[in-house]
Amino acid sequence: MSEIVVIGGGLAGSEAAWQAAERGCRVTLYEMRPEKMTPAHQSGQLAELVCSNSLGSNLVDRAPGLLKQELRVLGSMVLACADAAAVPAGAALAVDREAFSGCVTERVACHEGITLVREELRSIPEEGIVVVATGPLTSAPMSDSIASLTGSGHLSFYDAMAPIVAADSVDLQIAFRASRYGRGSGGLPLDGEGGDYINCPMSREDYDVFLDKLLGAETIPLRGFEREDAHFFEACLPVEELARRGPMALAFGPLKPVGLRDPRTGRRPFAVVQLRQDNLAATLYNLVGFQTNLKWGEQERVFRLIPGLAHAAFMRYGQMHRNTFLCSPALLKPTLQYSRRDGLLFAGQLTGTEGYIGSVASGLVAGLNAARLARGESPVAFPGTTMIGALCRYVSGAEAQSFQPMKPNFGLLPPLDPPISQKRDRYQAYAVRALADLGRFTEASGVLLHRGQPG
Ligand SMILES: Cc1cc2nc3c(=O)[nH]c(=O)nc-3n(C[C@H](O)[C@H](O)[C@H](O)COP(=O)(O)OP(=O)(O)OC[C@H]3O[C@@H](n4cnc5c(N)ncnc54)[C@H](O)[C@@H]3O)c2cc1C
């Protein structure tokens, strides 16, 4: 059996290495810390949590909770360590960060199938089965190596994410569907109603109130390494910074109303916030041009002043931080294999599966598939009705041009048939369907771990 190389011993790489080793493969895991630190990590432990100690909800009818349950079913080592290191946090899974990363480090370092090498790997090995999981703070030489493989246009270094809201939480009594100048996808004229965007019309008064609250809202302080980079803000100007450049900067910028008429008044609004479809199922919409560094609570408070968004459900908040990630839809398959080299897989935040638990999930998929390749078996893609499958399908299948990392959320799942209007019942039904489909899939594909599996 061939050796597997895993690069990066974070949340994704530790899970990937362990999954492959548990399936009888020989794994070499390269982690550059503590020899070379990232700007955010503080220790040499594997799977260090760089910020919050919360891994999000543990409730199965919440998207991160469902993903955790799926990971438990699939035998995730990192999640088992999180469960073992849990601290009281209501319905969330929060951990004692040192106990957690200590547990992962021990499980990996003591695994007889894993050789842990404390060294920076500066380029992707040209042959063999390789999992790259070097995370949002990938070292510069490795970033260069990835960029030369994929093309530099396919690698981003900053995240400037606009918030995403659930489509069914937008008030369509106020907001209206239309594209500028009545053009549909591909610039073709639309006949009658419709349009690619949901438009939230603002009167002059709405605009002034919104601007005032936006300018007064609290922002997240930038970290040292983000402040030091002169290009950080110019490359992805947050909406609140643009607003500071003058009272009409937004009205002439992302909120310009040109080519739009409110069907209820027959007139052009003073300003318009456009929402753009964010997933194929059309359940998620992002606020166009609203990349922001406002605190999350402030985003809800201020952006709900936008007409039509008073009751918006925020599925992802806007945020800005340094974040190396691939344009995965142009590069990866739902198995997380690089489309031009079957034996090269990517995992973790680098692929756009955002957040701690999403990174563990893509690490599990990449490790499992690396082992399957090493064993001469076909790699697997999990069903799109499961949260783990939906995430991998999102990163490999989203619209490439505007691709941004994504946390687990129910908007990624295909709609239920028949639909359920009550939110709590709907989420529960998503969870029931996901776990049933995962059960059927694991039985049919034989992907579950059996201890002592032959190598
Ligand atoms: C500042 C910051 C704050 C964040 N806060 C949160 C939060 O509160 N909650 C949340 O859910 N997510 C947060 N995230 C996102 C978070 O990084 C990911 O959720 C998660 O850590 C990503 O897992 P990963 O395995 O992809 O990367 P990481 O956990 O970062 O692991 C990557 C590993 O690769 C190593 N490495 C890098 N380059 C090389 C190389 N060339 N050779 C060998 N090793 C290398 C690194 O040292 C690191 O250990 C934050 C990210 C950043 C940057």
Side-chain angles (χ1 to χ4, degrees):
M1 172 167 309
S2 47
E3 276 222 351
I4 293 172
V5 169
V6 177
I7 316 171
L11 290 156
S14 300
E15 182 72 46
W18 192 86
Q19 290 292 334
E22 278 288 287
R23 288 173 170 80
C25 299
R26 291 225 50 85
V27 179
T28 305
L29 171 62
Y30 288 90
E31 168 52 55
M32 66 180 186
R33 292 177 292 116
E35 289 304 307
K36 181 170 177 178
M37 297 297 284
T38 77
H41 289 84
Q42 308 278 318
S43 77
Q45 298 284 62
L46 302 182
E48 180 186 326
L49 301 177
V50 284
C51 192
S52 161
N53 69 329
S54 173
L55 279 67
S57 177
N58 230 347
L59 301 175
V60 78
D61 60 356
R62 305 288 198 280
L66 172 60
L67 184 58
K68 289 186 191 73
Q69 192 52 31
E70 293 177 4
L71 288 169
R72 290 187 186 103
V73 170
L74 293 167
S76 159
M77 174 275 289
V78 172
L79 199 62
C81 288
D83 283 334
V87 296
L93 175 58
V95 297
D96 175 318
R97 60 179 75 241
E98 278 166 27
F100 167 68
S101 54
C103 175
V104 175
T105 306
E106 192 183 323
R107 299 282 301 269
V108 169
C110 295
H111 199 296
E112 57 184 13
I114 303 176
T115 306
L116 176 58
V117 181
R118 297 288 191 165
E119 193 180 302
E120 177 189 18
L121 216 59
R122 297 170 67 85
S123 62
I124 299 174
E126 284 178 7
E127 286 176 0
I129 300 173
V130 179
V131 177
V132 185
T134 43
L137 305 169
T138 294
S139 71
M142 180 55 74
S143 295
D144 292 345
S145 170
I146 297 171
S148 69
L149 179 82
T150 62
S152 57
H154 284 142
L155 194 63
S156 300
F157 296 99
Y158 293 108
D159 226 341
M161 301 193 294
I164 291 181
V165 296
D168 60 6
S169 68
V170 178
D171 186 348
L172 290 176
Q173 298 298 317
I174 298 172
F176 61 94
R177 285 190 172 277
S179 299
R180 289 191 202 280
Y181 303 107
R183 292 189 200 109
S185 308
L188 297 172
L190 290 164
D191 2 312
E193 291 287 299
D196 291 345
Y197 290 82
I198 296 177
N199 300 279
C200 301
M202 281 182 166
S203 64
R204 174 79 211 221
E205 199 190 351
D206 295 329
Y207 180 83
D208 287 341
V209 170
F210 173 72
L211 191 64
D212 182 56
K213 299 293 178 207
L214 179 64
L215 292 173
E218 272 189 85
T219 56
I220 298 169
L222 288 182
R223 285 154 197 271
F225 63 92
E226 290 161 339
R227 265 199 316 270
E228 280 155 23
D229 191 319
H231 301 299
F232 182 71
F233 265 126
E234 284 312 317
C236 35
L237 198 64
V239 66
E240 61 276 10
E241 287 301 313
L242 183 59
R244 280 185 232 294
R245 297 191 171 178
M248 294 302 285
L250 293 181
F252 286 116
L255 273 64
K256 63 179 178 295
V258 295
L260 292 166
R261 253 173 223 293
D262 185 340
R264 280 164 208 109
T265 62
R267 289 206 302 272
R268 185 162 105 173
F270 179 77
V272 172
V273 174
Q274 287 203 298
L275 311 185
R276 186 197 293 123
Q277 188 176 326
D278 202 84
N279 63 339
L280 284 174
T283 51
L284 302 173
Y285 276 74
N286 64 64
L287 277 66
V288 178
F290 269 64
Q291 53 270 28
T292 180
N293 200 35
L294 293 193
K295 289 187 169 168
W296 290 3
E298 294 287 80
Q299 292 185 34
E300 291 204 2
R301 185 175 70 82
V302 176
F303 297 158
R304 283 193 179 140
L305 294 171
I306 296 168
L309 298 190
H311 304 289
F314 285 79
M315 308 306 282
R316 183 185 80 185
Y317 294 99
Q319 51 182 294
M320 306 192 64
H321 60 76
R322 191 170 139 194
N323 188 5
T324 311
F325 65 96
L326 297 169
C327 181
S328 297
L331 305 169
L332 302 185
K333 302 180 189 175
T335 53
L336 303 182
Q337 290 169 284
Y338 180 48
S339 52
R340 281 182 270 158
R341 179 176 150 191
D342 274 348
L344 177 60
L345 301 98
F346 287 87
Q349 180 105 356
L350 203 50
T351 65
T353 54
E354 164 86 9
Y356 297 149
I357 209 69
S359 297
V360 176
S362 58
L364 186 144
V365 173
L368 161 69
N369 281 332
R372 289 181 71 88
L373 287 165
R375 297 163 66 95
E377 298 162 357
S378 301
V380 292
F382 285 90
T385 49
T386 63
M387 194 54 72
I388 193 167
L391 263 182
C392 294
R393 285 164 199 268
Y394 178 82
V395 298
S396 56
E399 212 265 299
Q401 224 177 356
S402 56
F403 178 68
Q404 290 288 334
M406 180 64 82
K407 279 185 194 280
N409 68 79
F410 283 125
L412 298 176
L413 300 183
L416 294 159
D417 185 16
I420 297 176
S421 57
Q422 255 292 323
K423 195 161 82 174
R424 285 271 71 84
D425 294 345
R426 185 164 72 244
Y427 289 177
Q428 186 66 40
Y430 279 139
V432 169
R433 180 181 68 178
L435 293 171
D437 285 358
L438 185 63
R440 275 189 286 274
F441 177 78
T442 53
E443 206 168 316
S445 60
V447 294
L448 282 190
L449 273 173
H450 302 291
R451 297 248 20 161
Q453 210 162 356

